[in-house]
Amino acid sequence: MEKIVFKRYDLVIINRSFWPVYPVIGEALLRLAENISHSKKVAIVVQDHDNIKNHLKKDKRGLGIKFFLGKAFSNSSSSLIIRILDAIFFTFWVKFCILITRPKNIYISTDPPVIVPFIVAVLSKIINIKYTYHLQDIHPEATNTVKKLNFYLFKFLKKIDNFSIRNANSLITLNEEMKKLVINRSNTTNKISIIENPSIILNTNKIIKKKKGFSFTGNLGRPQLINLLIEAINKYEKKGGILEFVFAGGGVFSKDILKLSKTNSLVTYHGIVSASDAGSIVSKYEWALLPIEDEITRYAFPSKISSYVCLGAKILSICSENTSVAKWIKCKKVGITVNPKVEEIIEVFFKLEKNVFDTSFLEIDRKELIKIFHMDVFVKNIENKIF
């Protein structure tokens, strides 16, 4: 009887979130797989939030790629406990898929964090796998800023993540501050590359005249200071403010923003929208809101920044001026920062409404930044780190 030989996959991409529900990183990872699949055997392991196979068939995407679709039990609006249980289920799914595919290379990010990268690191020793670890966030520290973890659990999670970092063949993160933290925490001697996240790029050559007002697109989550922003907008309106605030996205505070849109005449909420629709919203308004907890900026960098920049919005970041976010915005001359205090935020709203601020120093011609944030540049950079 002829012996059956199973060919090992050249690359398996593991990311819980995927296209089209997560349109920026999801699109980038799909393009990465499509590029490589022309000459190599590629598989993608993800959670299926929105019947991915139907979207792939409709848009004629993902040809020649093997998809391992795990069932999704949570989303960005789910409680932390449900999301943790969902991550545990996904961990078992990932382990099964790796044993089936026996890949030569794996791309793994911090979605979900810590446990899945650790499983990849352990299996890499057993099956002889090379893996690229993309630290989009640094966990468990980022989680700990949202929900305080048990001291011993926190210490244990850091220890196993350090193991994953030290054993990776390639490491990627988003900025110098995160890079330094990873090195100091893990004592890794591996080289860490900095690759900034890509942007939504609208397929239009039209020059859009921007309206005075603010957009916010993306996750309405715990680190985004949504309660503070709601309080500031309500007080601004009661004091006679007239600028519009337009929101799009999901998350634990999406119901609060929906409620705000029904009680505050300045606010519009579009819910969860496609990448192109989100880009269209941002491109219509002069300013884009970027509220972020100070502490989490040490362990993460908002992915929406790249889209805000490429879509021509001036950024109003709400955080302390000594954070990596505020420093980056100031260095690149793409916006201004206000401290996360209600009265200071309201004061800035009125100054922008009345054109009191001199914003002539802001860089409007962002051609070089747009090149850096282009989707194809991101994809090529990731491919170079994997192979």
Side-chain angles (χ1 to χ4, degrees):
M1 185 175 178
E2 186 178 349
K3 185 178 179 180
I4 298 174
V5 178
F6 291 98
K7 184 181 178 183
R8 294 180 67 182
Y9 278 72
D10 295 294
L11 173 66
V12 169
I13 296 170
I14 301 169
N15 208 71
R16 180 169 55 177
S17 308
F18 198 62
W19 176 95
V21 176
Y22 295 86
V24 181
I25 296 299
E27 169 67 25
L29 294 179
L30 180 55
R31 287 195 194 187
L32 173 67
E34 288 172 336
N35 288 355
I36 295 170
S37 67
H38 293 302
S39 58
K40 299 179 186 295
K41 196 175 182 182
V42 181
I44 295 177
V45 181
V46 297
Q47 281 191 323
D48 194 354
H49 288 87
D50 190 30
N51 206 330
I52 291 171
K53 283 192 175 180
N54 279 354
H55 288 284
L56 291 167
K57 186 177 180 180
K58 179 183 175 182
D59 293 351
K60 297 180 181 178
R61 302 291 304 273
L63 300 176
I65 301 167
K66 176 67 176 177
F67 285 85
F68 292 89
L69 305 176
K71 184 174 176 57
F73 297 98
S74 70
N75 55 43
S76 58
S77 299
S78 303
S79 69
L80 191 59
I81 295 298
I82 295 298
R83 293 175 76 176
I84 289 171
L85 291 174
D86 195 22
I88 292 171
F89 171 80
F90 187 66
T91 300
F92 285 105
W93 178 244
V94 166
K95 184 177 179 181
F96 169 77
C97 293
I98 291 174
L99 293 174
I100 291 294
T101 57
R102 295 176 59 84
K104 298 174 184 176
N105 297 278
I106 288 177
Y107 167 91
I108 178 73
S109 76
T110 43
D111 182 18
V114 183
I115 302 300
V116 171
F118 177 68
I119 293 296
V120 168
V122 171
L123 289 177
S124 74
K125 298 287 187 183
I126 300 170
I127 310 177
N128 188 26
I129 303 169
K130 294 179 180 180
Y131 68 95
T132 296
Y133 189 10
H134 194 163
L135 291 122
Q136 292 273 1
D137 311 286
I138 299 172
H139 291 276
E141 291 89 336
T143 303
N144 198 52
T145 63
V146 176
K147 178 77 173 178
K148 290 298 177 184
L149 301 172
N150 173 276
F151 173 79
Y152 295 103
L153 175 62
F154 182 68
K155 190 174 181 179
F156 171 73
L157 291 174
K158 280 205 296 185
K159 187 171 183 178
I160 65 173
D161 196 50
N162 286 340
F163 176 85
S164 304
I165 290 168
R166 287 194 295 266
N167 286 280
N169 296 88
S170 183
L171 290 165
I172 303 167
T173 194
L174 304 184
N175 59 37
E176 280 292 340
E177 186 169 348
M178 292 173 71
K179 177 180 175 179
K180 289 176 184 176
L181 195 149
V182 170
I183 293 170
N184 291 337
R185 193 248 263 172
S186 67
N187 292 319
T188 183
T189 56
N190 290 343
K191 181 183 176 182
I192 303 177
S193 301
I194 294 174
I195 300 177
E196 302 198 61
N197 277 334
S199 161
I200 298 169
I201 304 293
L202 291 182
N203 295 320
T204 178
N205 295 317
K206 293 180 181 178
I207 298 173
I208 301 172
K209 186 177 180 181
K210 294 186 177 295
K211 297 171 65 176
K212 291 189 69 173
F214 303 90
S215 67
F216 178 105
T217 58
N219 186 42
L220 295 159
R222 295 174 180 88
Q224 277 76 40
L225 304 174
I226 301 302
N227 285 333
L228 177 73
L229 190 57
I230 289 173
E231 184 181 354
I233 292 171
N234 274 331
K235 288 186 176 181
Y236 169 69
E237 188 228 14
K238 287 176 182 177
K239 290 183 176 184
I242 61 171
L243 293 181
E244 295 178 41
F245 297 83
V246 180
F247 291 84
V252 293
F253 289 103
S254 57
K255 291 181 180 178
D256 299 86
I257 293 297
L258 176 61
K259 182 180 177 181
L260 179 68
S261 70
K262 293 179 178 179
T263 59
N264 191 310
S265 62
L266 303 179
V267 178
T268 303
Y269 177 50
H270 292 281
I272 298 173
V273 300
S274 67
S276 59
D277 287 342
S280 179
I281 289 167
V282 173
S283 67
K284 288 177 182 176
Y285 289 87
E286 186 178 358
W287 291 88
L289 293 169
L290 186 69
I292 187 77
E293 286 271 8
D294 286 358
E295 181 65 14
I296 206 166
T297 62
R298 297 181 60 206
Y299 315 116
F301 197 74
S303 58
K304 62 170 66 72
I305 281 185
S306 56
S307 293
Y308 283 175
V309 167
C310 293
L311 293 166
K314 300 170 185 174
I315 299 174
L316 176 59
S317 62
I318 302 174
C319 57
S320 298
E321 292 189 0
N322 61 349
T323 61
S324 60
V325 169
K327 290 175 182 176
W328 189 93
I329 288 170
K330 184 178 180 180
C331 175
K332 303 299 182 184
K333 298 180 181 180
V334 293
I336 59 175
T337 298
V338 59
N339 285 316
K341 296 179 180 178
V342 171
E343 294 306 321
E344 291 189 35
I345 296 169
I346 295 169
E347 183 182 355
V348 169
F349 287 165
F350 275 113
K351 284 183 176 180
L352 294 176
E353 176 190 320
K354 300 178 189 303
N355 293 319
V356 174
F357 270 136
D358 176 15
T359 58
S360 60
F361 68 93
L362 296 181
E363 181 59 61
I364 303 302
D365 182 10
R366 303 171 178 178
K367 290 179 182 177
E368 293 306 312
L369 278 175
I370 290 172
K371 287 179 185 177
I372 293 170
F373 292 141
H374 197 283
M375 186 78 71
D376 291 339
V377 172
F378 175 86
V379 170
K380 191 63 182 175
N381 286 338
I382 297 294
E383 185 177 347
N384 289 340
K385 297 306 171 187
I386 294 173
F387 294 106

